[in-house]
């Protein structure tokens, strides 16, 4: 079953995450590495905006200082409010759109993709960082995460007629990115896009940190050792991958 409730739940989670961020130095170090991985996938040669949708705490700026941070709610640490289904950017004004743990909150992904494609310049990139459903991923997200993975639920690609972005509600299906980009569901929805990368990562250091919701399972001083295990376990993605890094490029074709 998918999680559905008032969109205000999104802001509640941001406030909870902010408390964890302040008390967990290891979490800040792990996210900096994630953000660096994302930065390496960005286009830096287009002299156009880099925008993060659903920025939450807005910490990507520690790695990409000129990134425009945004969310559906206004917060003092973010640059602006944006709705993924109707962005305020002009056609072709964006070089990179970043969605960190946002894709699985898109109830109507094809409707959002149409808007992303409008805002991106030809050759611009959509960079998605989302959960991965390996054996370990199924255990972590299925048993210990508050959002449903919804692997058997149908994906509703398009918003219904007469729907508008102000009607967006809270939705979560943590398995959606894995279903779409690894398992290859409904690839016909990606006409006008070139898939550049689908990278699976173990990210055991993140899992064992407890993330934002659970207790940290190792002393912060052991993070380098956990990162060593991450590299080793990356060789067995079917068993250990818990994170997906996806890079899509907007083609010139209509």
């Amino acid at each position: 079953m998918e999680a559905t409730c008032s969109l205000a739940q999104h802001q509640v989670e941001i406030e909870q995450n902010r408390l964890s961020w302040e008390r967990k130095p290891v979490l800040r170090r792990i996210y900096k590495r994630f953000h660096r991985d994302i930065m390496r996938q960005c286009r830096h040669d287009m002299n156009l905006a880099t925008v993060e949708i659903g920025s939450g705490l807005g910490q990507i700026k520690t790695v990409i200082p000129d990134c425009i941070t945004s969310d559906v709610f206004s917060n003092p640490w973010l640059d602006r409010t944006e709705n993924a289904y109707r962005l305020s950017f002009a056609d072709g004004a964006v070089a990179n759109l970043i969605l960190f743990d946002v894709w699985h909150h898109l109830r109507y992904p094809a409707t959002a993709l149409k808007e992303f494609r409008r805002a991106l310049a030809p050759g611009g990139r959509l960079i998605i960082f989302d959960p991965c459903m390996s054996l370990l991923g199924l255990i972590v997200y299925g048993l210990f995460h508050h959002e449903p993975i919804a692997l058997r639920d149908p994906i509703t690609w398009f918003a219904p007629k007469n729907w508008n972005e102000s009607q967006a509600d809270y939705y979560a299906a943590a398995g959606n990115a894995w279903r779409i980009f690894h398992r290859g569901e409904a690839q016909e929805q990606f006409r006008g896009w070139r898939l550049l990368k689908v990278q699976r990562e173990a990210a055991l250091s993140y899992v064992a940190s407890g993330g934002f919701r659970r207790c940290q399972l190792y002393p912060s001083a052991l993070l380098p050792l956990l990162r060593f295990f991450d590299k080793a376990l990356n060789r067995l993605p079917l068993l250990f991958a818990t994170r997906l890094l996806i890079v899509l490029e907007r083609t010139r074709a209509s």
Side-chain angles (χ1 to χ4, degrees):
M1 293 288 291
E2 68 189 28
T4 326
C5 60
S6 168
L7 196 60
Q9 176 64 22
H10 181 71
Q11 181 68 11
V12 171
E13 291 183 5
I14 288 173
E15 294 297 338
Q16 292 171 344
N17 290 348
R18 194 177 178 194
L19 294 175
S20 296
W21 185 266
E22 291 171 353
R23 67 179 175 83
K24 275 189 167 184
V26 74
L27 199 59
R28 299 195 291 271
R29 293 169 65 189
I30 290 167
Y31 266 70
K32 182 166 282 190
R33 185 185 69 79
F34 288 157
H35 289 147
R36 284 173 177 159
D37 290 345
I38 289 169
M39 179 186 67
R40 293 186 188 102
Q41 304 305 320
C42 289
R43 293 288 302 264
H44 300 287
D45 58 344
M46 300 181 73
N47 198 30
L48 294 171
T50 292
V51 180
E52 185 181 37
I53 304 298
S55 297
L57 301 178
Q59 294 299 323
I60 199 167
K61 279 185 177 288
T62 63
V63 174
I64 311 176
D66 60 346
C67 181
I68 298 170
T69 55
S70 71
D71 215 316
V72 290
F73 286 94
S74 175
N75 276 307
W77 55 85
L78 299 179
D79 294 318
R80 60 205 293 171
T81 58
E82 292 286 347
N83 188 303
Y85 298 102
R86 187 182 291 274
L87 301 175
S88 65
F89 298 91
D91 295 1
V94 176
N96 305 288
L97 277 174
I98 299 167
L99 277 65
F100 193 119
D101 279 339
V102 169
W103 180 267
H104 66 275
H105 289 299
L106 297 176
R107 180 182 290 278
Y108 306 117
T111 301
L113 275 171
K114 182 179 179 182
E115 179 65 358
F116 298 157
R117 195 171 188 281
R118 179 198 65 77
L120 281 168
R125 292 182 176 178
L126 174 63
I127 302 166
I128 299 166
F129 197 75
D130 232 51
C132 184
M133 297 300 140
S134 64
L135 178 60
L136 179 60
L138 288 169
I139 294 170
V140 169
Y141 296 108
L143 298 180
F144 301 105
H145 196 57
H146 66 290
E147 295 170 349
I149 56 177
L151 293 183
R152 296 184 179 180
D153 290 358
I155 297 173
T156 306
W157 283 91
F158 291 95
K161 189 177 181 180
N162 298 323
W163 180 90
N164 65 68
E165 69 281 355
S166 66
Q167 297 172 284
D169 57 3
Y170 185 87
Y171 166 88
N176 278 4
W178 179 81
R179 291 172 61 183
I180 294 165
F181 297 105
H182 175 68
R183 204 156 71 179
E185 293 188 24
Q187 290 303 297
E188 68 274 8
Q189 303 297 345
F190 292 89
R191 295 189 184 96
W193 297 92
R194 181 182 299 112
L195 183 61
L196 300 182
K197 182 185 287 285
V198 179
Q199 179 175 305
R200 293 175 288 174
E201 299 184 15
L204 182 64
S205 56
Y206 173 72
V207 171
S209 77
F212 287 99
R213 297 271 176 143
R214 298 189 178 274
C215 295
Q216 186 172 320
L217 301 180
Y218 62 91
S220 298
L222 291 184
L223 178 59
L225 178 62
L226 270 290
R227 285 178 170 165
F228 172 81
F229 286 125
D230 283 342
K231 292 179 181 179
L233 297 178
N234 283 346
R235 300 176 182 179
L236 298 168
L238 287 175
L239 295 177
F240 296 111
T242 65
R243 284 292 185 172
L244 274 176
L245 176 63
I246 300 130
V247 183
L248 293 160
E249 188 171 274
R250 182 205 190 280
T251 65
R252 295 184 180 275
S254 59

